[in-house]
Amino acid sequence: MSTIISLANQKGGVGKTTSSINLAAALAAEGKRVLLVDADPQANSSSGLGIDIKDLKHTIYECLIENIDPQSAIIHTEVANLDVIPSHINLVGAEIEMLDKDNRENLMKSILSSLRNVYDYILIDCSPSLGLITINALTASDSVIIPVQCEFFALEGIAKLLNTIKIIKSNLNPALRIEGFLLTMYDARLRLSAQVHDEVRRHFGDLVFNTVIARNVRLSEAPSHGLSVIQYDRNSKGAKNYINLAKELIRRNKA
């Protein structure tokens, strides 16, 4: 039975998609069977793993709106053990189309239920919003990873996300838990990074991952080549950070 984890933060530019791609690849490198669900209309998790999104017949959009079998939307990547259900720009209008559907908050849960025995981990890259698709992702998930960038206003909007999680726990998914806060874009040269690091740890304590994702040029370059950083440069600091994160996540879920 797989563990389903959403990566969510309605604030853009926090390293959410970068973390989705590279955590998925790192878990796969650790021998886990992984499915990455791209639930962001920008489809950056899809293109960042070398998937050409222009000519796809089936994506998460068709699964949600047209009840397409999710197996037909799965794409096997060049990374061993890593599959993707890609996204498409059509997902922008999906929330309006979902409004008339019965049980609309549980559509993603229904889609992923048939895949839980196939994978060890299912990661959902959420869009930078708290709309119906993100609510679907959180309703389908066992837990949520919240990336937080080590920059000014890092905690801006976190209260709103935490309130959304609280509402979903109360009404849709009582078992939902916070897997952890992931500090991203850490720059050891900057006092601000250290201050944000300390502030997040002071607020959230043990909920913060020990692994911190440092700013890294190779990490920024990898998506333009359609590769995870582990494929692009396994010896880079970025690759090592995500491999450490994958190991920490595996330990947490065994505990």
Side-chain angles (χ1 to χ4, degrees):
M1 181 71 76
S2 61
T3 300
I4 302 179
I5 304 173
S6 284
L7 286 91
N9 190 330
Q10 79 275 17
K11 192 173 187 296
V14 299
K16 178 182 53 60
T17 294
T18 297
S19 294
S20 297
I21 292 170
N22 292 300
L23 176 56
L27 286 167
E30 290 297 307
K32 302 300 180 182
R33 298 165 300 164
V34 183
L35 175 66
L36 176 57
V37 180
D38 190 349
D40 185 342
Q42 297 176 83
N44 290 334
S45 276
S46 305
S47 59
L49 283 168
I51 296 169
D52 185 350
I53 62 173
K54 293 193 298 292
D55 301 317
L56 293 175
K57 187 175 180 183
H58 295 148
T59 67
I60 191 64
Y61 171 83
E62 283 76 21
C63 295
L64 287 167
I65 303 304
E66 300 174 10
N67 300 318
I68 294 295
D69 183 345
Q71 290 280 2
S72 67
I74 291 172
I75 293 177
H76 305 296
T77 71
E78 293 182 6
V79 180
N81 299 319
L82 176 55
D83 294 343
V84 175
I85 295 181
S87 185
H88 192 275
I89 190 63
N90 287 349
L91 202 60
V92 167
E95 294 193 353
I96 295 171
E97 296 177 79
M98 290 163 68
L99 289 176
D100 292 331
K101 286 186 171 284
D102 294 333
N103 214 18
R104 63 191 179 205
E105 295 89 357
N106 286 285
L107 296 175
M108 185 80 75
K109 184 176 183 178
S110 224
I111 289 165
L112 298 182
S113 62
S114 63
L115 303 173
R116 292 200 73 149
N117 291 325
V118 180
Y119 298 96
D120 298 308
Y121 287 91
I122 298 175
L123 303 184
I124 308 174
D125 180 17
C126 299
S127 64
S129 75
L130 293 178
L132 188 51
I133 292 174
T134 297
I135 289 170
N136 259 262
L138 294 172
T139 301
S141 296
D142 299 304
S143 62
V144 55
I145 291 174
I146 303 172
V148 179
Q149 83 282 27
C150 291
E151 295 179 355
F152 199 59
F153 295 134
L155 297 179
E156 187 182 63
I158 292 292
K160 189 174 181 181
L161 175 59
L162 294 178
N163 190 53
T164 299
I165 291 169
K166 183 179 178 182
I167 292 168
I168 288 170
K169 279 175 66 71
S170 297
N171 298 289
L172 296 165
N173 183 5
L176 180 65
R177 60 188 173 83
I178 295 174
E179 188 72 48
F181 290 83
L182 175 64
L183 289 158
T184 64
M185 305 180 194
Y186 183 84
D187 189 335
R189 299 168 300 177
L190 300 179
R191 182 183 298 174
L192 178 61
S193 282
Q195 289 172 341
V196 171
H197 175 279
D198 293 345
E199 184 180 4
V200 172
R201 288 203 179 277
R202 188 166 60 251
H203 270 82
F204 301 112
D206 291 341
L207 283 176
V208 183
F209 283 102
N210 293 322
T211 304
V212 174
I213 309 301
R215 282 195 180 276
N216 179 246
V217 172
R218 309 301 266 173
L219 198 54
S220 302
E221 291 173 347
S224 65
H225 298 273
L227 299 171
S228 70
V229 71
I230 294 162
Q231 297 166 278
Y232 186 61
D233 185 352
R234 193 183 179 97
N235 294 317
S236 67
K237 183 182 286 187
K240 290 174 181 176
N241 286 166
Y242 279 105
I243 288 168
N244 287 338
L245 177 63
K247 289 177 178 178
E248 185 176 353
L249 181 64
I250 291 167
R251 286 196 303 272
R252 283 188 178 209
N253 279 277
K254 281 182 178 175

